[in-house]
Amino acid sequence: MSSFDRRTLLLMPLALAACGFTPVYGTGASGTALQNNVEVNEPNDDNSYLLNRRLEERLGRSSTPVYRLRVSVRSEREALAVNTESNINRFNLVGVAEYTLVEKSTGRVVTSGSVNNFTGSSATGTTVATLAAERDAQLRLMTLLADQIVVRLLSTDLA
């Protein structure tokens, strides 16, 4: 290891501290404050169930939540690739999730916003394979949206 590499490694923590970087799961940080303290609204369809499941995997569950997360999700399937015989070979599943994090004790809106993403699935092969690909695309899309929401929540100043 060259002396330049060693200096870079030794000075990196100082540079991060100087720029205001704080660990998201450090003492008093948003990750610690949200972990096992968020109640997610009840799912009402497959998309919201998959999204909520992922949110609870990432944020945990609480018997006495401090925050309530309201999430509304919608998705739309779009034909992407059509062959010369007008058969659709590939679909895009486009999704949008709007969220609001509310402090339960005061009703104060801590943060809100929306995230969007897409996944694709193939429509070639048997009916069973096409349906399996659609379900997989739906699960991947809801996982992407939930992870985006969690990243936004973790970067929020909860004070």
Side-chain angles (χ1 to χ4, degrees):
M1 186 183 282
S2 72
S3 62
F4 176 77
D5 292 337
R6 285 188 203 138
R7 279 188 302 217
T8 302
L9 282 175
L10 292 173
L11 295 176
M12 186 66 77
L14 294 173
L16 289 175
C19 75
F21 172 80
T22 57
V24 74
Y25 289 106
T27 305
S30 61
T32 306
L34 291 173
Q35 192 65 40
N36 297 318
N37 284 319
V38 177
E39 171 186 81
V40 183
N41 60 310
E42 292 290 321
N44 56 10
D45 60 9
D46 289 345
N47 281 340
S48 59
Y49 169 76
L50 293 170
L51 184 89
N52 286 7
R53 187 174 79 180
R54 180 63 177 174
L55 287 169
E56 287 182 350
E57 285 174 11
R58 296 284 311 273
L59 297 172
R61 272 191 161 180
S62 174
S63 57
T64 57
V66 177
Y67 301 98
R68 178 180 301 117
L69 181 62
R70 295 186 299 238
V71 182
S72 169
V73 63
R74 63 185 184 281
S75 64
E76 182 177 301
R77 195 170 91 159
E78 299 176 343
L80 186 62
V82 181
N83 66 15
T84 56
E85 297 161 358
S86 297
N87 295 322
I88 300 170
N89 294 330
R90 189 151 184 83
F91 288 97
N92 261 0
L93 188 60
V94 180
V96 176
E98 297 172 353
Y99 64 91
T100 305
L101 183 69
V102 177
E103 191 173 36
K104 287 186 75 170
S105 62
T106 63
R108 174 180 69 95
V109 174
V110 178
T111 187
S112 64
S114 69
V115 295
N116 59 67
N117 218 313
F118 72 96
T119 58
S121 66
S122 175
T124 59
T126 65
T127 303
V128 173
T130 300
L131 288 173
E134 286 177 14
R135 285 192 199 113
D136 181 62
Q138 179 187 27
L139 174 61
R140 286 183 287 123
L141 178 61
M142 294 306 120
T143 300
L144 286 168
L145 293 174
D147 287 348
Q148 285 180 289
I149 291 171
V150 169
V151 167
R152 297 258 181 106
L153 293 177
L154 292 177
S155 64
T156 299
D157 182 14
L158 300 174

